[in-house]
């Protein structure tokens, strides 16, 4: 107890809040955690002096969870391991590492997770380290509804081999339902590490499959009552954006500004009916899912992804439709197809014979959807607020729905939720540090949490919001709150860009260029820059605008501006939450 008190006395308030939630989650899963811990006997077997480093690069926390599970179970194989976050590791240090496993996620449009770019940039540069002494394995995590599925893992695997490293276990590319494939890879990786420790001629012990990797929705999830579900876009808006307030009383969940909330959705019943009609399948047909017998309708409603197309589905259809098989090789066409088509669009355009079980086996598991938390826990005890854009539009002659947004918009009384920490999107530790918040649409959500938090804790650093949307009168999200923040002195500057209010479209990147001198002055004052929103266009345009500020106002060449912005990113002063 004295050691715990000593540790607590060294933590800041935000750190204490996060730690309390972390310990609460540990308490809730104490039995599971106990079963995951390496036994003393297994740890005592570490006599060969070999150490395996488990590196992870994580955006939403899944890669970290898998890496931690691999670390916890390694003792059962007599393997000594240590964890290393690639955000804090420099690629040139790999020359000192002889044995490593990499668990890496792909984010955005084939990008590495925020904070790990320095590692990957150096490894992929013209002057990389030689790695002939390194034995390695790569586990890649991604989302097969994107054309760049597991691209970072693929590139890392190829690059390590090209630099002379020895691959000891084949790479596996995991989709959002990563549990089974990651467990199998972990088993093979630990068995091979054990075999090498014993000598190449040693017999491999066939142990049970590695367990303990956390499922897609963590055991610490909570059925949260919905307190408020209010539309916050005005009458006549082309968008339906909701403000939700959720009750976390009794959950043991805790969060910090910048974190996300995972929402477990159900698919729209109308879409399930359309899909069954399109395929001519009986809703009552029995299927086996995770060793349980369900009817097909329930499986499609609650357990399978039907609002987003995926590469596994395209590959299954491509076996009978050669046009799709060729399209899978064209990255740009594949990206457009996945962006524009839902499952029913593909099944209608490329018909094949399905039975209920094959359909369920081909479709992906329905994953939780992540939403940036739009509130401060200090300002709203035992609550979490969300800003949700309802996805509902017409395409290809049929209605397209978003699963989670429509599930919430239709008035769900409770939502199953979990907190997803985002260490890559954090307020400065110094309360005097100024911040620049750049976002469009629902990308405004974390900034509401930021300013609420700074106001509640008395932080005196200046806050500047640059926000964009379609129309001022209907789409200025949380308008009254932002105006009050400015009136009360908690918002130093407020710059707005509404793209459809004038003859020319104006976006947030245009406001950055117009405020170029002030923007540069804030950077020189030590400001932290945040970007939240769409990865397809907005994030890239904002990045280019900031580079131009550094060139024009800082007198830097294009190359030096790139280096300066990379330096800001590496020290945590340029953070992005893009999707």
């Amino acid at each position: 107890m004295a050691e715990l008190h000593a540790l607590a006395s060294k933590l800041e308030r935000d750190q204490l809040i996060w730690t309390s939630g972390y310990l609460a989650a540990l308490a809730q899963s104490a039995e599971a955690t106990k079963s995951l811990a390496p036994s003393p006997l297994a740890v005592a077997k570490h006599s060969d002096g070999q150490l395996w480093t488990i590196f992870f690069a994580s955006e939403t926390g899944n890669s970290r969870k898998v890496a931690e599970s691999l670390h916890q179970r390694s003792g059962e194989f007599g393997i000594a391991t240590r964890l290393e976050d690639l955000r804090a590791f420099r690629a040139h240090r790999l020359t000192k590492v002889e044995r490593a496993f990499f668990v890496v996620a792909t984010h955005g449009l084939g990008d590495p997770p925020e904070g790990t770019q320095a590692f990957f940039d150096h490894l992929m540069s013209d002057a990389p380290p030689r790695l002939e002494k390194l034995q390695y394995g790569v586990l890649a995590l991604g989302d097969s509804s994107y054309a760049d599925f597991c691209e970072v893992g693929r590139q890392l695997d190829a690059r390590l081999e090209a630099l002379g490293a020895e691959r000891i276990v084949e790479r596996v590319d995991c989709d959002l339902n990563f549990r089974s494939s990651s467990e199998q890879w972990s088993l093979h990786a630990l068995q091979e590490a054990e075999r090498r420790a014993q000598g190449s001629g040693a017999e491999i012990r066939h142990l049970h499959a590695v367990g303990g990797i956390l499922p897609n929705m963590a055991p610490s999830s909570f059925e949260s009552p919905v307190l408020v579900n209010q539309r916050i876009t005005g009458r006549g808006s082309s968008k339906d954006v909701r403000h939700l307030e959720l009750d976390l009383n009794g959950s043991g969940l805790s969060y910090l500004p910048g974190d996300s909330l995972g929402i477990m959705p159900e698919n729209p019943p109308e879409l399930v009916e359309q899909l069954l009609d399109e395929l001519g399948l009986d809703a009552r047909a029995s299927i086996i899912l995770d060793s349980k017998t369900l009817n097909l309708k329930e499986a499609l409603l609650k357990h399978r992804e039907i609002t987003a197309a995926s590469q596994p589905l395209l590959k299954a259809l491509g076996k009978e439709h050669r046009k799709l098989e060729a399209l899978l090789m064209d990255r740009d066409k594949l990206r457009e197809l996945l962006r524009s088509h839902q499952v029913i669009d593909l099944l209608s355009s490329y018909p094949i014979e399905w039975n209920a079980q094959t359909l369920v086996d081909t479709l992906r598991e329905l994953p939780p959807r992540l939403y940036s938390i739009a509130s401060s826990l200090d300002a709203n005890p035992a609550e979490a607020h969300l800003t949700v854009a309802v996805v509902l539009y017409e395409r290809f002659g049929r209605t397209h729905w978003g699963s989670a947004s429509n599930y919430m918009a239709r008035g769900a009384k409770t939502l199953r939720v979990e907190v997803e920490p985002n260490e890559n999107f954090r307020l400065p530790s110094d309360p005097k540090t100024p911040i620049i918040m750049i976002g469009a649409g629902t990308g405004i959500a974390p900034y509401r949490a930021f300013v609420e938090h700074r106001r509640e804790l008395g932080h005196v650093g200046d806050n500047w919001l640059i926000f964009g949307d379609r129309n001022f009168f209907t789409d200025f999200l949380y308008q009254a709150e932002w105006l009050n923040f400015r009136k009360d002195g908690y918002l130093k500057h407020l710059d707005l860009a509404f793209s459809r209010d004038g003859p020319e479209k104006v976006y947030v990147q245009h406001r950055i260029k117009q405020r170029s001198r002030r923007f540069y002055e804030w950077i020189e004052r030590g400001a932290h820059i945040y970007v939240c929103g769409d990865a397809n266009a907005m994030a890239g345009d904002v990045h280019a605008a900031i580079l131009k500020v550094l060139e024009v106002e800082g007198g830097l060449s294009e190359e030096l501006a790139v280096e300066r912005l990379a330096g800001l990113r590496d020290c945590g002063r340029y953070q992005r939450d893009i999707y």
Side-chain angles (χ1 to χ4, degrees):
M1 186 61 68
E3 292 177 353
L4 183 60
H5 180 75
L7 173 62
S9 66
K10 300 176 182 178
L11 299 179
E12 296 180 356
R13 191 172 189 275
D14 286 359
Q15 294 170 321
L16 284 169
I17 292 172
W18 185 91
T19 304
S20 69
Y22 176 75
L23 293 176
L26 285 181
Q28 288 183 354
S29 56
E31 290 303 315
T33 304
K34 184 177 179 181
S35 68
L36 295 176
S39 67
L41 179 61
V43 175
K45 288 176 59 180
H46 300 156
S47 59
D48 53 32
Q50 293 189 2
L51 175 68
W52 286 82
T53 302
I54 302 173
F55 293 101
F56 64 89
S58 190
E59 185 73 30
T60 64
N62 287 337
S63 295
R64 174 182 53 79
K65 292 174 185 176
V66 174
E68 288 173 349
S69 180
L70 182 63
H71 175 57
Q72 289 169 335
R73 297 307 299 265
S74 61
E76 296 181 8
F77 294 77
I79 305 300
T81 60
R82 68 183 181 93
L83 286 170
E84 188 83 47
D85 189 339
L86 284 178
R87 290 179 300 172
F89 192 85
R90 294 296 174 260
H92 67 85
R93 292 169 54 198
L94 273 182
T95 58
K96 306 294 184 182
V97 179
E98 296 185 3
R99 288 165 290 276
F101 295 126
F102 296 85
V103 184
V104 298
T106 296
H107 175 60
L109 302 179
D111 300 319
E114 289 294 318
T116 66
Q117 291 93 338
F119 172 85
F120 288 100
D121 286 349
H122 184 64
L123 196 68
M124 303 296 177
S125 70
D126 295 333
R130 294 299 304 174
L131 302 174
E132 283 84 358
K133 296 181 180 180
L134 177 64
Q135 300 175 13
Y136 78 95
V138 173
L139 181 68
L141 274 66
D143 181 345
S144 66
S145 66
Y146 289 89
D148 300 298
F149 173 55
C150 289
E151 183 67 18
V152 172
R154 284 199 286 264
Q155 290 183 359
L156 173 63
D157 186 29
R159 188 60 165 169
L160 292 173
E161 182 181 42
L163 296 176
E166 178 190 2
R167 182 189 303 107
I168 72 160
V169 60
E170 290 299 315
R171 187 191 76 251
V172 168
D173 297 336
C174 301
D175 208 340
L176 294 177
N177 49 333
F178 57 86
R179 177 168 183 160
S180 177
S181 52
S182 63
E183 285 181 347
Q184 293 177 18
W185 182 88
S186 297
L187 172 64
H188 296 155
L190 291 173
Q191 283 185 331
E192 181 59 21
E194 178 192 36
R195 186 186 70 81
R196 289 174 178 254
Q198 294 175 348
S200 59
E203 180 182 356
I204 300 176
R205 290 189 294 121
H206 295 285
L207 302 181
H208 57 79
V210 175
I213 293 174
L214 297 177
N216 291 1
M217 181 60 85
S220 57
S221 64
F222 175 70
E223 199 73 25
S224 172
V226 178
L227 302 174
V228 173
N229 183 343
Q230 177 185 0
R231 177 168 176 159
I232 57 174
T233 41
R235 183 179 301 173
S237 173
S238 58
K239 300 190 296 183
D240 179 357
V241 177
R242 302 298 179 98
H243 171 76
L244 278 82
E245 298 182 4
L246 308 180
D247 185 356
L248 301 183
N249 266 303
S251 68
L253 297 177
S254 183
Y255 64 86
L256 288 175
D259 289 343
S260 295
L261 207 63
I263 304 294
M264 194 65 217
E266 291 185 12
N267 286 311
E270 302 95 325
L271 181 58
V272 172
E273 293 293 341
Q274 289 180 17
L275 189 59
L276 291 170
D277 290 343
E278 179 69 36
L279 301 180
L281 296 175
D282 186 351
R284 299 165 298 178
S286 294
I287 57 96
I288 304 297
L289 189 63
D290 297 330
S291 303
K292 297 179 181 179
T293 301
L294 303 173
N295 65 55
L296 178 58
K297 183 175 181 178
E298 183 180 1
L300 295 178
L301 188 66
K302 298 181 179 181
H303 301 284
R304 281 298 178 258
E305 172 68 89
I306 62 172
T307 62
S310 66
Q311 293 191 47
L313 176 61
L314 287 174
K315 290 177 181 177
L317 295 174
K319 292 177 181 179
E320 296 192 29
H321 295 275
R322 291 295 182 88
K323 179 181 177 180
L324 274 181
E325 189 176 30
L327 185 145
L328 284 166
M329 306 302 294
D330 187 319
R331 184 65 56 84
D332 292 335
K333 291 182 179 179
L334 175 60
R335 182 178 291 114
E336 175 57 26
L337 184 73
L338 290 170
R339 186 193 64 80
S340 60
H341 286 64
Q342 292 193 336
V343 168
I344 193 171
D345 302 321
L346 294 174
L347 296 180
S348 175
S349 299
Y350 304 97
I352 64 175
E353 290 293 325
W354 292 96
N355 63 55
Q357 188 65 56
T358 302
L359 177 66
V360 169
D361 291 342
T362 303
L363 295 175
R364 300 190 306 167
E365 181 178 338
L366 181 62
R369 265 51 171 183
L370 296 183
Y371 292 89
S372 297
I373 298 175
S375 57
S376 162
L377 198 57
D378 287 271
N380 305 274
E383 292 184 9
H385 300 176
L386 301 178
T387 311
V388 178
V390 179
V391 177
L392 185 65
Y393 59 95
E394 297 293 322
R395 182 172 288 168
F396 308 127
R398 60 170 59 92
T399 301
H400 283 212
W401 288 273
S403 58
S405 63
N406 282 276
Y407 183 55
M408 288 185 272
R410 293 179 185 209
K413 300 302 182 183
T414 64
L415 296 171
R416 188 153 63 95
V417 305
E418 65 175 348
V419 172
E420 286 288 353
N422 186 355
E423 299 298 332
N424 303 320
F425 208 71
R426 285 283 184 255
L427 281 167
S429 57
D430 185 347
K432 299 177 183 178
T433 302
I435 63 173
I436 305 173
M437 303 167 287
I438 307 163
T442 57
I444 202 171
Y447 303 141
R448 181 176 184 266
F450 280 10
V451 179
E452 274 193 351
H453 192 74
R454 300 193 105 189
R455 178 187 63 182
E456 193 70 19
L457 271 60
H459 291 188
V460 296
D462 288 334
N463 306 310
W464 177 7
L465 175 66
I466 305 174
F467 170 68
D469 213 312
R470 294 179 180 176
N471 300 102
F472 174 83
F473 288 109
T474 59
D475 303 318
F476 188 176
L477 305 182
Y478 302 111
Q479 176 180 357
E481 293 185 35
W482 292 116
L483 295 179
N484 284 333
F485 283 141
R486 187 171 66 172
K487 177 182 176 182
D488 296 341
Y490 294 104
L491 197 60
K492 182 75 171 179
H493 299 295
L494 175 62
D495 283 292
L496 304 170
F498 292 99
S499 60
R500 300 188 182 182
D501 277 349
E504 296 183 2
K505 291 189 176 182
V506 178
Y507 298 105
V508 290
Q509 61 267 24
H510 298 125
R511 296 301 184 219
I512 293 171
K513 293 176 182 178
Q514 290 171 0
R515 305 289 185 262
S516 180
R517 167 52 54 181
R518 180 199 295 165
F519 202 99
Y520 184 74
E521 289 173 350
W522 277 53
I523 292 176
E524 293 300 287
R525 288 174 54 197
H528 286 214
I529 305 167
Y530 300 89
V531 180
C532 184
D534 178 35
N536 288 297
M538 188 275 288
D541 291 337
V542 167
H543 187 83
I546 298 173
L547 286 174
K548 185 59 66 175
V549 168
L550 294 173
E551 291 178 38
V552 173
E553 306 297 343
L556 302 178
S557 65
E558 182 177 345
E559 183 178 358
L560 288 177
V562 170
E563 291 183 9
R564 177 77 191 278
L565 191 53
L568 294 175
R569 179 193 64 202
D570 292 343
C571 69
R573 288 182 54 198
Y574 176 41
Q575 302 179 42
R576 306 195 302 173
D577 183 7
I578 58 177
Y579 40 84

